[in-house]
Amino acid sequence: VDADPVEQVNAFTAQSSVASRLGARISRYSTDSLNANGSSVNSDAAERLRALGYSSGNPQSQSAMTGRPDPKDRRELASQIARVISGELSGAPLLAALEAIVHEDPRNGQVQLRLGYARLQAGDCARAEPAFHAAAAAGLPGADVHLGLATCLGRRGDLAGAERALTEARRIEPDNPIVIANLGVLQSAKGDLPGAIKSLSAAIAADPGLDEARFNLAVAYAKSGRRVEAASAARELLARLPPAAPQRSEVERLLRSIQ
């Protein structure tokens, strides 16, 4: 650190024995060696490590290193990513930063995912969808990619596509209450009110803080003619919302319409 603070000298050759020892330790923990030894690997953990670039077999093999950038050449890119992750950017500056990072590193699944949601928040689903697809192509684990994609597809009326995306999200994270709540919203849009009520109720039971799911449950009850339950759900939501919450007016309007 003192002699080479900007890391311009490759220490691998000068300390080959140390490098070999460390390489052997890494190999013991790689997915390939664990499987070869008959040990079980948590599939979700393996997928997450692989998506982050930490699980690609022998780290000293040529195939594992092909196409991988030298971290020393990406210090500026890392600085941009740090600004995004820190939360100091929002709105147009955040979008600009994410687009610049993706331009330099299009295979970065995490940044593609963030870009998709930033565009979704800006109301630009047409450009959010390609970002979500790129995140999925990068092998990003978890349900977030499919949730974002389902939202975009639902907004443009492709309910079948939205259902496929949510089905995949639930396959990946079957107990995720946000996935279950979104399935309830989709079921309501398709006219399956009993299914919607069941899904939304299950989502709220798993996470009582899902106020949007609670509102959609009240709407589903109202559409089903179950006015007492709809009013009860709406009143409970009003009791949870802060006095100045902008959503209160919409909930109050729903409550007036069913009383």
Side-chain angles (χ1 to χ4, degrees), residues 177-178 200-215 233 236-237 240-241:
I178 297 176
L200 291 165
S201 297
I204 294 166
D207 184 354
L210 293 177
D211 290 338
E212 188 173 352
R214 202 177 293 276
F215 176 76
E236 188 169 355
L237 178 53
R240 297 178 59 86
L241 290 173

Side-chain angles (χ1 to χ4, degrees), residues 153-167:
L153 294 170
R155 286 185 182 180
R156 66 178 171 88
D158 183 359
L159 299 186
E163 185 171 18
R164 286 193 297 272
L166 287 175
T167 299

Side-chain angles (χ1 to χ4, degrees), residues 84-124:
V84 168
I85 294 173
S86 71
E88 67 179 88
L89 300 177
S90 61
L94 174 61
L95 271 172
L98 289 168
E99 286 167 354
I101 295 168
V102 163
H103 179 74
E104 291 294 323
D105 189 10
R107 293 186 298 173
N108 190 319
Q110 287 284 357
V111 176
Q112 290 281 13
L113 177 65
R114 287 174 180 266
L115 178 58
Y117 274 104
R119 286 174 171 169
L120 182 59
Q121 189 173 14
D124 189 358

